[in-house]
Amino acid sequence: MNTDVLIAHSFYQQIIEDTKPFFKGAKMSDKYMVDKNENDIPDLEHYIRYVTFYFIHLFSLCYQLERAINLLSNFRADNKNEIGRGHHLTYNIENYFIRLDSLYDRNLQLVNAVFCLGFDDSKVKKDKVLKKISEVDDCNELNNSLDELNKVLKKHSDEKRNVIVHRHSYYDQELEMIEMYYHPFYSKTILEDPDRAENFKQIRKEQLSFYLRKKKKEFKEINEKSFEKIFIILNEIEKEYTLKKQKLSL
């Protein structure tokens, strides 16, 4: 599953339709839907704007995770580039795992907004949200889907994110070797030797290509599993969103 499937979801389409009136004549400075003074707008409009804000940030993250796969190959080599192909790759891998770790929290923020749980966004935590929605009728499926998403993310990102943020850089023996192969300083001596340069470039190219294929496949599978769970979550929150709009329109 990819973001195209998420975009086709009826909740996504409903949000697009609901927000069309608010974008008429809007400037770029008005892009944040909740900036407008909430005392100046009807409750229904405020609710739609509030939900849309967190909806946009969830989908933005999904796009970033999907595009992060292509960024693994998005390196421009030139004489002025002192970063090195390996370090560029490490940066993008670390960036992916840090963003992936945010995916569960973005879903919780959207659930908090749709169900009007009342938590300040800095107080939106897993246990609080799950406890609150467990008190709402017919939310078992939502609880289960959030739990399933959390399991997927913990399996693939939780430990890696903690290592990257709190302990040291992402460690992977193959990636470390690629960093050495492509390090501007360490590779310079070999590349200046015509008897060794071509063979060295071929070896590191093959190593990089193999690693990229493996990592892209891994990230794609993680994204697909995560988006599948999010699709089910959208099914459940759409019901509540529709119900809340009906009540606020009376």
Side-chain angles (χ1 to χ4, degrees), residues 86-223:
H87 291 304
H88 177 272
L89 182 57
T90 299
Y91 172 83
N92 281 296
I93 289 174
E94 290 187 350
N95 189 45
Y96 174 83
F97 283 120
I98 291 171
R99 290 180 183 278
L100 183 67
D101 197 62
S102 302
L103 193 56
Y104 187 74
D105 289 336
R106 296 279 179 99
N107 278 272
L108 291 181
Q109 295 286 356
L110 182 58
V111 169
N112 181 55
V114 170
F115 282 82
C116 298
L117 300 182
F119 296 119
D120 182 87
D121 58 9
S122 63
K123 305 294 183 183
V124 174
K125 306 296 180 184
K126 175 189 171 187
D127 293 342
K128 291 182 179 180
V129 171
L130 295 184
K131 183 177 184 298
K132 200 79 171 178
I133 62 174
S134 67
E135 300 169 0
V136 181
D137 292 336
D138 299 323
C139 276
N140 288 336
E141 187 63 35
L142 177 57
N143 260 314
N144 292 337
S145 299
L146 285 167
D147 186 53
E148 288 298 316
L149 175 63
N150 191 42
K151 287 178 182 177
V152 170
L153 298 177
K154 285 183 75 68
K155 178 181 178 182
H156 294 288
S157 75
D158 194 47
E159 183 179 351
K160 294 183 182 71
R161 184 263 180 194
N162 286 334
V163 167
I164 294 167
V165 173
H166 300 295
R167 287 153 59 187
H168 52 72
S169 296
Y170 176 72
Y171 180 77
D172 180 326
Q173 192 169 3
E174 290 179 87
L175 182 58
E176 185 177 31
M177 185 64 69
I178 290 171
E179 285 185 2
M180 291 295 293
Y181 278 149
Y182 284 91
H183 194 288
F185 177 77
Y186 294 117
S187 63
K188 184 178 180 180
T189 303
I190 299 176
L191 292 174
E192 288 176 347
D193 183 346
D195 295 329
R196 303 168 63 194
E198 288 306 314
N199 186 50
F200 174 72
K201 286 193 287 187
Q202 183 62 30
I203 290 173
R204 72 177 188 176
K205 179 182 178 181
E206 290 175 359
Q207 184 82 10
L208 175 63
S209 297
F210 174 79
Y211 188 80
L212 283 174
R213 286 195 300 272
K214 186 172 69 171
K215 272 301 169 195
K216 286 182 177 183
K217 183 176 182 290
E218 176 190 341
F219 288 2
K220 184 178 179 181
E221 289 175 353
I222 294 172
N223 287 349

